[in-house]
Amino acid sequence: MTTAEQPVVVLVHGAFAESASWNRVIQRLHSNQLTAVAAANPLRSVEGDAAYVRDVIAGLGRPVILAGHSYGGMVITQAAAGNPAVRALVYVAAFAPEAGESALLLSAKFEGSTLGGALNAYPVASGGNEFRIAEDKFHHQFCADLDAGEAALMAATQRPVTERALTDGLTADEPGWRTKPSWFVHGERDLNIPAAALRFMAERAGSRGTREIAGASHAIAASQPDAVVATILDAAGHVQG
């Protein structure tokens, strides 16, 4: 396989995170001779964010494996729809929506999410509100299996998300996972998206392989990078076949 045919792993963070949240995953992908790009997800609207990710993919000019964390799953599902450059999808504690479904709807489908009580909301100039996780609640809510020092850094560098992004339904007629092979990895103690919801979405999408990590939090790319990378390598093996 020539370099031009080698897939690039495009990593799309979700709400309350940023592109460096993939650092440990990227280090391990590089050790496995895989190129990775962590996109800066705008977190403004599903369609707008997906359009941006499609631009990133087009700029690479190579086939890609799209991996999304949390709300990033909404974005990769939309960005992959009808996009021949996308060869596989990896959902990392992420939403895998059907047409019309929103992140808010899916997170409430099963009991167990405590995110609502951890959020601070404030208006933004473009209209509506945006949300961030209160810094004193971030460690417990988002990354309970990381140490307090790292959690404090993650709280300080979190990227807020608009209410619109979380309530936008998927507009693609056919979600990306319906036509692209998909893999799933998530934590058993995810407080943002209940494990029951993550299992439901993996099964519905016909996951080629699902890893559920005992005791792991929502911030699985930071706390369990080996499991995340193993899942991406499974997808890469299929693509490089």
Side-chain angles (χ1 to χ4, degrees):
M1 187 175 281
T2 66
T3 301
E5 297 167 322
Q6 283 274 7
V8 178
V9 181
V10 176
L11 303 157
V12 181
H13 67 81
F16 322 117
E18 40 93 48
S19 52
S21 62
W22 295 106
N23 281 357
R24 289 176 184 140
V25 169
I26 293 167
Q27 288 168 339
R28 287 160 173 77
L29 291 174
H30 286 173
S31 296
N32 283 277
Q33 284 69 57
L34 277 174
T35 303
V37 172
N41 187 358
L43 306 176
R44 302 294 91 184
S45 69
V46 171
E47 181 49 57
D49 297 343
Y52 171 71
V53 170
R54 285 193 290 268
D55 289 343
V56 171
I57 293 167
L60 292 169
R62 282 166 59 183
V64 303
I65 295 166
L66 267 186
H69 175 242
S70 194
Y71 164 79
M74 299 287 304
V75 176
I76 68 169
T77 302
Q78 180 87 18
N83 191 334
V86 179
R87 303 294 169 81
L89 297 167
V90 180
Y91 290 90
V92 181
F95 295 110
E98 183 58 272
E101 290 179 341
S102 68
L104 201 64
L105 183 151
L106 285 167
S107 65
K109 193 174 182 71
F110 295 87
E111 291 183 0
S113 175
T114 55
L115 178 61
L119 295 176
N120 287 334
Y122 49 89
V124 286
S126 55
N129 292 316
E130 75 173 10
F131 300 110
R132 64 184 291 116
I133 297 177
E135 297 208 3
D136 62 339
K137 295 177 180 173
F138 192 94
H139 189 188
H140 172 74
Q141 178 63 40
F142 198 82
C143 55
D145 52 353
L146 292 171
D147 69 49
E150 183 168 9
L153 286 174
M154 290 172 71
T157 59
Q158 67 175 296
R159 298 268 305 276
V161 64
T162 64
E163 186 172 18
R164 176 184 172 182
L166 297 182
T167 55
D168 273 353
L170 192 79
T171 60
D173 293 334
E174 193 169 52
W177 50 259
R178 205 173 281 293
T179 55
K180 318 278 184 184
S182 61
W183 285 259
F184 287 72
V185 58
H186 66 264
E188 174 236 346
R189 293 195 182 176
D190 193 317
L191 297 182
N192 280 26
I193 310 173
L198 294 160
R199 291 181 205 120
F200 163 78
M201 290 183 281
E203 188 172 336
R204 180 174 68 175
S207 172
R208 302 289 184 97
T210 302
R211 285 177 173 85
E212 180 170 322
I213 311 304
S217 73
H218 187 61
I220 195 166
S223 68
Q224 299 285 340
D226 290 333
V228 173
V229 169
T231 308
I232 293 171
L233 291 177
D234 287 346
H238 174 85
V239 170
Q240 293 169 332

